[in-house]
Amino acid sequence: LAKTTQPISMDSYEGQEVNITCSHNNIATNDYITWYQQFPSQGPRFIIQGYKTKVTNEVASLFIPADRKSSTLSLPRVSLSDTAVYYCLVGGTYSSASKIIFGSGTRLSIRP
Amino acid sequence: GAVVSQHPSRVICKSGTSVKIECRSLDFQATTMFWYRQFPKQSLMLMATSNEGSKATYEQGVEKDKFLINHASLTLSTLTVTSAHPEDSSFYICSARRTVGFQETQYFGPGTRLLVL
């Protein structure tokens, strides 16, 4: 299981673009990279998932370099409601043995 | 998106009683579900992997006789905390794995807050 490393916390302001980078040096060939958002007393919410290059949805973008040893979650024009903990996880290959292990996550604080 | 529900959302019980938590995948089938526990200000800790039609796989340090898991159908897994004690008070979260082709994604339930008095 690939171990991930993220900054413990980040601060930003409303309207700014926020980029959170995650390191996963031991990512396996078939592993996907998935990002989740968690608010207090709620379950993690799926944000985006990718395998390589760039993935974009209505909420965020995910940038994955060619070596796939890191990834960057990009949140455009954040608002106060984006204050949450963000988790980067790797895994998700088609295997009955695959499971997702959570790291410490990044606590993002957005200020007015 | 895929929806996973949990019931109850919160429960308060007396020490020594058993509590059952249900996890349902509402719009997809899940042969595999996962149970996590989360303490305040900490990350999610995987407790066990629930497999439909077979025994659950528990993580090291998690007592299987204490935390009974049943995955009787492709949309339902239950976690029963037996003889609950105050130290079992925590936030319990389940997830269901959805597979599309070779890609898997876990979707999480809203969590269940357990308070043991």
Side-chain angles (χ1 to χ4, degrees), chain A residues 32 34 36 38 40-46 49-50 87 91-105 107, chain B residues 32 34 36 38 41-46 49 51 57 59 91 93 97 99 101-111 113:
Chain A
Y32 281 81
T34 312
Y36 294 88
Q38 187 182 28
S41 296
Q42 294 186 25
R45 182 177 76 99
F46 173 86
Q49 184 178 62
Y87 293 98
T93 55
Y94 184 60
S95 165
S96 60
S98 68
K99 55 187 178 183
I100 291 184
I101 303 297
F102 279 78
S104 59
R107 191 171 297 274
Chain B
T32 303
F34 302 88
Y36 295 82
Q38 186 175 35
K41 302 295 185 182
Q42 295 185 21
S43 185
L44 284 76
M45 182 182 72
L46 180 65
T49 302
N51 302 298
T57 303
E59 295 300 301
F91 191 52
I93 307 170
R97 186 171 69 193
T99 301
F102 291 102
Q103 186 171 348
E104 298 175 340
T105 306
Q106 282 193 14
Y107 294 94
F108 290 82
R113 176 75 60 191

Side-chain angles (χ1 to χ4, degrees), chain B residues 41-106:
Chain B
K41 302 295 185 182
Q42 295 185 21
S43 185
L44 284 76
M45 182 182 72
L46 180 65
M47 298 175 65
T49 302
S50 172
N51 302 298
E52 188 269 336
S54 63
K55 292 183 179 179
T57 303
Y58 292 82
E59 295 300 301
Q60 189 172 10
V62 179
E63 300 177 55
K64 62 180 181 180
D65 295 329
K66 172 78 172 174
F67 300 98
L68 301 179
I69 293 173
N70 183 27
H71 194 154
S73 77
L74 289 173
T75 59
L76 173 64
S77 175
T78 61
L79 169 69
T80 301
V81 183
T82 62
S83 186
H85 289 97
E87 57 265 31
D88 298 322
S89 298
S90 187
F91 191 52
Y92 292 86
I93 307 170
C94 74
S95 70
R97 186 171 69 193
R98 186 178 75 170
T99 301
V100 178
F102 291 102
Q103 186 171 348
E104 298 175 340
T105 306
Q106 282 193 14

